[in-house]
């Protein structure tokens, strides 16, 4: 491991420990930095448990600062996940402890490494409950486990956790883009030939035309291709494609994408609706709205009206304006840990409450702006019932359920019943992120 990559990893881990934001774009510039930072954060509570236990045995616990915690965390990951030898570790860290200003030395690294060799999970877990053991071994917050336990059996819950913990699992959807589908078949043939030539695994999506499923870990290869650079491909999560596709049925003269950034669902809709329509893509964040607008420019889309606004108090002169509304609401992201491992460690009652209050307000606003018999798609990339089924249950008296495609699993039961018109995508079943989705019409 190069010195620059090592110092970058330590610096980013220090920011993580201080609960400061770390720019994903900055991390992805270097593959080594991205790999180690992301994976250490992914398994943080497991690594931190080993760190606390071993540091306590060495009587170091009171002397650990953010820098030494970061260094020891890297050593734990290298030892337990990659079987790195002491010699490898000492060689990698030599540029650091050889510096006069270094806060850690070779003897401390050697002592810590040797302590890891004697670490015993059985001994360390001697006074832990079953819930605590699962939380640590699977590197998942106990809050997450408690929230999902009423709706999933243990085996299915762990399968979903394991899937989200594996960065290399899951598919992205690559939608081929061609104005009004002119030349789309030729584009499809050429792109498939490129995938075969470059040995990128793929499959034609069985549910949506002109979409190809590609493993998530090959996304960087797709973004480097001439097809993407020329604006012939739209890359989005497979679940997002399924959800956006739900809006294609019915009257789409006036469409609102309420929380539209980064804009991929809006682009998907423009490339899938061939009748006359007007689409407004709105977002609360000015920065994200500007980024979305840049993406629209990249695809030469001038027919999407972009608006930076608060969708809770949308600037309309009259109510009941839109024929269709897509509300992919802000949420805890509890179905996205595979690509957003940092979100794991934000899961707590306060974070969930903050999001559910926002969702309630957005959902009420969406229903208020929708015309009678207009279509509402409500979705969250969350596995919590509070952000899905319970939100819809609150407004069911104003909505009529619409049938979902068979690709979606049943939603959770509330009071012994499934909510008609709602469903779920599970990482362990659909090889996508975890989503709740509901499709409804507004009652006259």
């Amino acid at each position: 491991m190069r010195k620059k990559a090592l110092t970058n990893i330590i610096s980013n881990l220090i920011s993580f420990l201080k609960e400061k934001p770390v720019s994903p774009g900055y991390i992805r510039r270097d593959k080594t930095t991205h790999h180690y930072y992301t994976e250490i954060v992914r398994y943080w509570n497991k690594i931190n448990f080993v760190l606390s236990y071993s540091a306590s045995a060495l009587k170091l616990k009171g002397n650990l600062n953010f820098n030494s915690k970061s260094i020891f965390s890297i050593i734990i990951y290298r030892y337990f996940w990659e079987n790195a030898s002491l010699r490898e570790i000492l060689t990698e860290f030599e540029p650091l402890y050889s510096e006069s200003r270094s806060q850690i030395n070779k003897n401390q690294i050697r002592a810590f490494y040797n302590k890891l060799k004697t670490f015993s999970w059985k001994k360390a877990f001697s006074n832990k409950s079953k819930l605590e053991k699962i939380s640590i071994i699977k590197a998942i917050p106990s809050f997450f486990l408690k929230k999902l336990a009423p709706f999933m059996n243990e085996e299915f819950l762990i399968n979903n956790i394991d899937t989200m913990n594996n960065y290399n699992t899951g598919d992205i959807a690559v939608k081929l883009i061609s104005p009004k589908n002119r030349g789309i078949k030729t584009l499809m043939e050429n792109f498939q030939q490129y995938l075969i030539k470059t040995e990128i695994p793929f499959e034609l999506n069985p549910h949506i035309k002109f979409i190809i499923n590609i493993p998530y870990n090959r996304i960087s290869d797709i973004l480097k291709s001439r097809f993407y650079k020329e604006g012939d491909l739209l890359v989005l999560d497979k679940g997002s494609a399924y959800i956006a596709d739900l809006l294609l049925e019915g009257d789409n003269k006036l469409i609102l994408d309420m929380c539209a950034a980064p804009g991929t669902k809006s682009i998907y809709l423009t490339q899938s609706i061939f009748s006359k329509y007007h689409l407004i893509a709105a977002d609360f964040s000015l920065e994200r709205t500007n980024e979305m607008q840049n993406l629209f420019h990249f695809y030469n889309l001038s027919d999407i009206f972009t608006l930076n606004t608060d969708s809770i108090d949308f600037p309309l002169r009259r109510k009941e304006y839109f024929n269709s509304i897509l509300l992919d609401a802000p949420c805890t992201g509890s179905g996205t840990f595979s690509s957003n491992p940092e979100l794991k460690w934000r899961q707590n009652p306060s974070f969930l409450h903050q999001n559910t209050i926002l969702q309630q307000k957005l959902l009420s606003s969406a229903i208020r702006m929708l015309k009678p018999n207009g279509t509402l798609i409500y979705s969250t990339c969350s596995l919590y019932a509070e952000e899905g089924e319970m939100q819809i249950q609150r407004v069911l008296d104003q909505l009529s359920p619409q049938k979902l495609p068979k690709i979606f699993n049943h939603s959770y039961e509330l009071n012994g019943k499934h909510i008609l018109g709602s469903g779920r995508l599970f990482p362990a079943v659909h090889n996508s992120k975890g989503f709740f989705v509901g499709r409804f019409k507004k009652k006259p």
Side-chain angles (χ1 to χ4, degrees), residues 5 27 40 42 45 103 126 134 136 162 177 232 296 325 341 356 361 430 437 441:
I27 295 173
I40 289 169
R42 188 183 308 283
N45 73 336
Q103 298 176 10
S126 60
I134 294 174
I136 294 167
D162 287 344
I177 292 179
D232 293 329
F296 295 159
I325 293 179
T356 55
K361 293 178 179 179
H430 300 93
V437 64
K441 284 191 179 293

Side-chain angles (χ1 to χ4, degrees), residues 111-126:
F112 188 78
Y113 182 92
N114 288 332
K115 190 61 188 175
L116 294 181
K117 290 171 67 176
T118 65
F119 180 84
S120 164
W121 285 106
K122 184 177 180 180
K123 186 177 179 181
F125 275 168
S126 60

Side-chain angles (χ1 to χ4, degrees), residues 125-176:
F125 275 168
S126 60
N127 62 344
K128 299 294 180 184
S129 67
K130 182 179 180 181
L131 178 71
E132 289 173 315
K133 290 177 183 177
I134 294 174
S135 173
I136 294 167
I137 288 295
K138 297 299 178 182
I140 200 78
S142 57
F143 175 81
F144 178 90
L145 295 172
K146 291 174 183 176
K147 281 294 173 188
L148 295 191
F151 304 103
M152 297 183 189
N153 63 47
E154 184 178 308
E155 181 182 5
F156 187 57
L157 175 54
I158 289 176
N159 284 344
N160 277 286
I161 293 169
D162 287 344
T163 302
M164 289 195 289
N165 273 342
N166 189 343
Y167 176 77
N168 292 321
T169 61
D171 291 335
I172 56 167
V174 176
K175 180 173 176 59
L176 281 79

